[in-house]
Amino acid sequence: MASENLQCLKKYIGPLLCLHVVLLSSLCGIATSQTIVTSLPGFEGDLPFTLETGYVGVGDSNSSQLFYYFVESTRSPSEDPVMIWLTGGPGCSVLSAFFLEIGPLAFTYVDYNGSLPSLHLNPYAWTQGLNIIYVDSPVGTGFSYSTTQEGYYIDDEGAVDQIVEFLRKWLLAHPQYLNNILYIGGDSYSGIPLPIVVQKLFDGNNAGVAPYLNLRGYILGNPKTDDFIDVNSVTPFAHRLTLISDELYESTKESCGGDYVNVDDNNTGCVTDLATIDQLLLQINTMHVLEPNCQTALPNNREEEGRRSIRELPENFLTESTPALWCRYYNYVILGVWANDHSVRKALNVRENSIGVWKRCNKSIAYTKTVTSSVEYHKNLSNTNLRALVYSGDHDMSVPHIGTQEWIRDLNLTNSEIWRPWYVDGQVAGYSEKFSNVDYNLQYATVKGAGHAAPEYKAKECYAMIDRWLAYYPL
Amino acid sequence: MASENLQCLKKYIGPLLCLHVVLLSSLCGIATSQTIVTSLPGFEGDLPFTLETGYVGVGDSNSSQLFYYFVESTRSPSEDPVMIWLTGGPGCSVLSAFFLEIGPLAFTYVDYNGSLPSLHLNPYAWTQGLNIIYVDSPVGTGFSYSTTQEGYYIDDEGAVDQIVEFLRKWLLAHPQYLNNILYIGGDSYSGIPLPIVVQKLFDGNNAGVAPYLNLRGYILGNPKTDDFIDVNSVTPFAHRLTLISDELYESTKESCGGDYVNVDDNNTGCVTDLATIDQLLLQINTMHVLEPNCQTALPNNREEEGRRSIRELPENFLTESTPALWCRYYNYVILGVWANDHSVRKALNVRENSIGVWKRCNKSIAYTKTVTSSVEYHKNLSNTNLRALVYSGDHDMSVPHIGTQEWIRDLNLTNSEIWRPWYVDGQVAGYSEKFSNVDYNLQYATVKGAGHAAPEYKAKECYAMIDRWLAYYPL
């Protein structure tokens, strides 16, 4: 049990900070391991930032080994906040965020020739002002693995427990960060576990669980939040982006009574209208409605997934099709080539034979979605003293901003700062508004022209957004 | 008078085709002049297409000399349709369309160093299947000029008459094209004069005016059509693109009763809401809401024009600011450099001292907008046997697709083909629907992700669209 290790640590080192967790943890079974990585295949020379990789064992007998990448802030690690970053899926590796969204490195994919991809520094890395723990969660994701078969059977609550345990253990193993402000961040499907993680950490603090966490708030990008609200918002979103006609939208609103999720099969008008909408949206890139749909470039993969699922890239993308550099998903292919290279795994200190092929999104984990909505957790959190930043790439149809704005409205907070543009380089980067409740506040921002993982599309703007928000500066 | 020349021609050559108009016209005063241009400054080698430039004199004593560029179809000039293309403003030169939208040449503006810009062939030129007459209209636009001061005082009806006279004379001077199918095309403000031109040509045919024109239909891109409908659609459009909040939109709808144009100054709720909307949209690029607003890059030009006008680029763009290649309007600067070069004017056979500085959009013409709506003309035309293609770049806020769809709905046609995606390279390029009335049909298409002059943003898609439509093929 996770708490066994914590109890063990508390028993041996008491409330004082543990400075040698790796050694101490050997007293209680291998809970954490960590190495500083000074160079990475594809990047010329030494890394100009501190990268640590490692495992934290969680669950029964630490049978779940969660892999993480920790990047120290390049500004002032001791003063800057710590943020743990979670990705979606569930089952998508945090390397997506690391290389394609907010990490310190990015692939140089122009003229990519099929060999080991080369890397360059990301000028818009969020690690410029944050110490970020990028974690592959839940177990089965990225380089995280379980020592038991049952370990891969996990649900939302189990994933939450793993993250909470991971974070406590990681901080115990890095006591120098225990006093830093702590943020919990993530996007996409992490909108489900993340607010619960925040709630548990907050409750733990109140209950006196050690270590005390300097939890300040949470950050969510295009977060999956509510099965009904999110999916139901796809239809009005498609209408607003003129992908379905005014007439069809009006007809569907009426025939379905505004509910496009719980459809009575006998309601033929609604069923027919929704089927028509599905057809109209079939070839749209749900992650960004203006970008090409990469699936259509794949000769052997014309399987359609429909509008209610977040599309995934087939693993044969590189081998079975002409390199489609115009396609943003091509990054995913390059990422796979890199992560599956032997030299890379060695450099990252990935344990040998711990996993087979690294997959950007592992669909084979036996994950059960047990939480259909995290709105209640947001409601609870709105009674704390935490702060939240929620942002939406406004061209994302997989988790449309319309749904996100709806559940934020449902929190019944005070609209403390009205809708206004926010700027980067004198350009409107999006719009923002603020909501508050006593000591709690939530800032909502759209990222104009961005898709599902907003920093993937608008890196500079998103970096400015997080940098200002962290500094308590207006967006 | 225009008709004098026509009468003159009819008198001298009767109903037979005139093969030597240039010579004959000398009998009636200089009505037309024309030269084949085989090379152009900036383009290496001879032009691989036939370009003719020239003037057609219209109005009293041919005092208005309209300049045109005629490009022969590179497919089959004798069989392909002829299209005359009009631009907007009013007062914007057709060179914008020629170089930035649908013409055979485009600027190579990467690494542009301030000297004479270089040119390359546009792979998506509409002249691949069309004989296009690009005309600078009305007088005062581009290289068109008047020999009298009064000539520059013109209104919508006057502009219409000039175009009609121009086209009849041009075809008489190019009798080999008299049997080709004729289309009238244009975008932006030409949505006002163009349907009236079509009506006049159609009526002229019925009245037996010579020459008989083989008029088949018309093409309009993001056309300004109705003062009320177009402007009123800006507010719902801004809401649909999430530039204004749901709350403000609902409030404005209610306070203004859905009318955002004819506002009672005493209606403070409506006035306040609209002022808030103006503020929210102030820095948005109205031509394409996702593109940067180039104005903000100009140190000496922060003057704001508000949401109801179509923004124009100041002429000092090049000289007073750092070259802003990220800015699409930079093309306009390059265009100005090219068109004002002495060698260019010589190559184009622009008459010396006929105009001063060439301006992409000449705001100094004394143009009076006398037609507030061309919807009635569309209604009339819907009782003819013509065909129409109307398309909208769906991210244009200057003439939003919402308004265009509204007036099309107001025509009360039969929706003969329902809303469906159209594709280019297996990607959804937009959506389309068809309307008809006996022998008339109108195809409406959105161009997904495009702005005000759609081919400027989505050249390949727009070329596919026009090519298919001309061939009577489904989009």
Side-chain angles (χ1 to χ4, degrees), chain B residues 124-143:
Chain B
Y124 308 116
W126 289 17
T127 47
Q128 288 169 101
L130 275 172
N131 302 286
I132 306 185
I133 315 161
Y134 301 88
V135 60
D136 272 337
S137 157
V139 63
T141 300
F143 290 122

Side-chain angles (χ1 to χ4, degrees), chain A residues 320-339:
Chain A
E320 299 202 8
S321 75
T322 322
L325 284 168
W326 51 268
C327 168
R328 186 176 291 273
Y329 289 9
Y330 196 67
N331 275 313
Y332 300 167
V333 178
I334 292 181
L335 184 53
V337 171
W338 190 82

Side-chain angles (χ1 to χ4, degrees), chain A residues 239-240 280 289 293 431 448, chain B residues 239-240 280 289 427 448:
Chain A
H239 171 249
R240 281 174 64 165
L280 289 171
V289 299
N293 179 7
Y431 291 83
K448 188 161 73 79
Chain B
H239 172 248
R240 280 175 63 165
L280 290 170
V289 298
Q427 300 293 341
K448 188 161 73 77

Side-chain angles (χ1 to χ4, degrees), chain A residues 85-97 101 135-138 141-142 156 163 185-194 220-224 287 310 312 359-363 365 367 369 399 452-453:
Chain A
W85 188 263
L86 309 171
T87 40
C92 291
S93 168
V94 79
L95 276 187
S96 262
E101 298 175 43
V135 59
D136 271 337
S137 159
T141 300
D156 290 317
I163 296 161
D187 56 10
S188 193
Y189 190 79
S190 73
I192 292 293
L194 195 149
L220 282 166
N222 288 75
K224 173 80 195 164
M287 300 302 179
I310 293 174
E312 270 311 318
K359 293 188 170 181
R360 195 185 75 85
C361 290
N362 184 3
K363 288 177 169 177
I365 54 169
Y367 195 95
K369 295 177 180 178
V399 181
H452 183 57

Side-chain angles (χ1 to χ4, degrees), chain A residues 239-240 242-247 280 283-284 289-290 292-293 296 395 401 409 419 421 423 426-427 431 448, chain B residues 239-240 242-247 280 284 289-290 292-293 296 395 401 409 419 421 423 426-427 431 448-449:
Chain A
H239 171 249
R240 281 174 64 165
T242 318
L243 312 177
I244 63 177
S245 69
D246 297 338
E247 289 75 12
L280 289 171
Q283 309 262 8
I284 293 289
V289 299
L290 296 187
N293 179 7
T296 61
H395 278 60
H401 68 85
R409 229 178 340 247
W419 186 268
Y423 298 90
Q427 299 293 341
Y431 291 83
K448 188 161 73 79
Chain B
H239 172 248
R240 280 175 63 165
T242 319
L243 311 177
I244 63 176
S245 69
D246 296 337
E247 290 75 12
L280 290 170
I284 293 289
V289 298
L290 295 187
N293 179 7
T296 62
H395 278 61
H401 67 87
R409 228 178 340 248
W419 186 268
Y423 298 90
Q427 300 293 341
Y431 290 83
K448 188 161 73 77

Side-chain angles (χ1 to χ4, degrees), chain B residues 160-180:
Chain B
V160 165
D161 289 340
Q162 286 187 351
I163 296 161
V164 168
E165 187 181 347
F166 169 91
L167 188 60
R168 288 224 172 90
K169 286 185 173 173
W170 189 91
L171 282 166
L172 282 172
H174 299 76
Q176 67 272 33
Y177 288 112
L178 267 173
N179 289 325
N180 294 48

